[in-house]
Amino acid sequence: MERSPDARSLRSPRTSVILIAGATAWNVAQNRLLPRWSYVPGNVCGIGLIAYAARHAGISREQLGIDSRRPGRGALTGAMVAGVAAGVVWIGVRLRPGLFADTRVIGTRPAYEVLLRIPVGTASFEEVLFRGLLQAAWGSAGSSTAFGAWHVLPTLQTAAVNGLPRAPSAAAAVVVTVAAGRALASLRARYGLVAAVVAHAGINIAGYLAARAASSNR
């Protein structure tokens, strides 16, 4: 599912500017202004706002990629994709652990990160925003480009904390996340939004656990 006739109002220049401004403000607030504890509840509220905006614009559940007839198939497909990606991550952390080390994960609570923050606060929110609302409005290319831009601020923070060069790190993150966005957009188009959410959550969880393993050995 890509662009749809009912999504015209979301593709107007005025509405596109509002969406970009809103997403940018949300990104800055979550990465620079708000306390860490607000991340999950804030993004849950964000999902509600996105659902309201989509409904107000006449975007149907199907156009958002929500297929209630086959959620199990989507979840299974997403889990398979995540499993393959996790395998690649763990091979990488065995061969080059330094690439995955991130001092931010030291002292975090694994249960909270794996069960709540990553699947709900990150994967669910970002997939509803990018592969749901923005893919319905702008197609996979536009939503994936926005997804890449979304990761600039958190990457700059990660680079600063870990003593990495900021500009190259941010540039690399944009390239990787745009490519990941296109892959998730294809997954969503074929198997529904649930598949993209599960795949995204699984990949991020694997990255988090790899970072813990690599950082604990430094």
Side-chain angles (χ1 to χ4, degrees):
M1 280 175 278
E2 293 289 335
R3 301 176 182 177
S4 64
D6 291 342
R8 285 179 194 150
S9 61
L10 282 177
R11 296 200 300 271
S12 70
R14 177 175 177 273
T15 306
S16 292
V17 168
I18 293 173
L19 286 172
I20 292 170
T24 300
W26 200 281
N27 190 293
V28 171
Q30 290 286 30
N31 286 286
R32 300 292 193 190
L33 304 176
L34 298 177
R36 181 179 173 83
W37 64 261
S38 69
Y39 182 80
V40 173
N43 281 353
V44 169
C45 291
I47 292 172
L49 289 174
I50 293 166
Y52 172 80
R55 182 174 180 180
H56 181 72
I59 309 299
S60 68
R61 290 166 56 89
E62 289 75 19
Q63 289 161 351
L64 288 173
I66 302 172
D67 187 349
S68 58
R69 297 170 299 176
R70 50 175 185 172
R73 181 185 179 191
L76 178 60
T77 303
M80 291 173 63
V81 171
V84 172
V88 173
V89 167
W90 280 104
I91 291 173
V93 82
R94 297 288 291 182
L95 297 176
R96 296 289 299 275
L99 293 177
F100 297 87
D102 184 354
T103 56
R104 296 179 308 160
V105 305
I106 298 174
T108 57
R109 296 172 292 166
Y112 169 74
E113 298 289 334
V114 170
L115 299 177
L116 191 61
R117 180 178 171 86
I118 292 174
V120 178
T122 298
S124 295
F125 172 74
E126 291 184 358
E127 290 309 308
V128 169
L129 174 59
F130 293 102
R131 258 61 66 182
L133 183 64
L134 296 187
Q135 187 165 333
W138 299 341
S140 62
S143 64
S144 299
T145 300
F147 188 59
W150 179 265
H151 286 82
V152 170
L153 275 182
T155 301
L156 290 175
Q157 286 187 317
T158 301
V161 169
N162 291 285
L164 301 173
R166 296 190 182 188
S169 297
V174 169
V175 171
V176 170
T177 50
V178 168
R182 293 301 294 263
L184 288 167
S186 297
L187 191 66
R188 176 267 213 213
R190 187 167 183 180
Y191 297 102
L193 190 62
V194 170
V197 171
V198 173
H200 190 160
I203 292 168
N204 280 25
I205 288 169
Y208 167 77
L209 294 176
R212 280 187 63 89
S215 300
S216 65
N217 295 325
R218 296 188 76 177

